[in-house]
Amino acid sequence: EPYFTTKPVDEGTGMGLAVIHGIVNGYGGVITVESEPGLGSTFRVFLPAIETEIRLVDLSSCSTAPTGNERALIVEDEKILLEMEQAILEHLGYQVVPSIDPENALKIFEADPDGFDFVITDLTMPKLTGLNLASRIHALRPDIPIILCTGYGYKLGGKSPEEMGVQALINKPVLKKNLAASIRNVLDRKKQSPKQ
């Protein structure tokens, strides 16, 4: 798993190259590596050339990310990513309850299942995966929208997110516009669906 790390806290996450690989790959590029013990490593990043004229964009005309005021439970076992996602959500207007531990997140949800409007969880976590957490949360409250975050465009065994108990899948690194759009999409879909 690209987001699994065995490094202790405060000694790096081991995720830097995975994130860079995801970004470069997303732009159609490649990375090469040459390494020799005692001599070091050389990383070369190749990105496709831009063949069209670059036009400056007037940022004032760009649409802003959709916002909301609903209450979210977010679950992420990497502290820096949890803090980043919390900051994004709070900036968008959401009330956030963060948890770095999926088992603790389940206890928080069990204590007040109706106190949350949606859940965002990482896929790969120790003790309890995001899919297992989603299943246990849905057992308590089947109508709660759940968004799953994962690296490298993880495929859910050929199944759709809904078949696996989640309403949306977001690839890491998590971008504000994608997260904001996914949240509004799942919440607005829930409002439009018949009451269960």
Side-chain angles (χ1 to χ4, degrees), residues 4 10 13 19 25 27 32 40 62 66 70 81-82 108 130 136 150 157 161-162 166 171 173 179:
F4 175 77
D10 297 330
T13 62
V19 171
N25 189 280
Y27 282 105
T32 64
C62 293
E70 290 88 349
L81 296 178
L82 180 66
I108 292 169
R136 306 233 344 231
T150 181
E162 290 82 1
V166 297
N171 290 326
L179 184 59

Side-chain angles (χ1 to χ4, degrees), residues 125-168:
M125 297 181 290
K127 304 180 195 173
L128 197 62
T129 69
L131 287 175
N132 289 336
L133 178 62
S135 175
R136 306 233 344 231
I137 285 174
H138 273 153
L140 296 166
R141 192 175 143 206
D143 69 322
I144 186 97
I146 299 179
I147 297 171
L148 188 70
C149 298
T150 181
Y152 276 125
Y154 178 84
K155 303 292 184 231
L156 300 173
K159 297 182 178 180
S160 70
E162 290 82 1
E163 289 176 293
M164 300 300 289
V166 297
Q167 284 65 50

Side-chain angles (χ1 to χ4, degrees), residues 10-51:
D10 297 330
E11 289 191 20
T13 62
M15 292 176 29
L17 289 178
V19 171
I20 297 298
H21 178 268
I23 293 169
V24 171
N25 189 280
Y27 282 105
V30 295
I31 301 174
T32 64
V33 182
E34 296 171 10
S35 183
E36 290 187 44
L39 295 178
S41 301
T42 301
F43 294 83
R44 290 186 174 89
V45 178
F46 297 92
L47 296 171
I50 296 175
E51 297 178 2

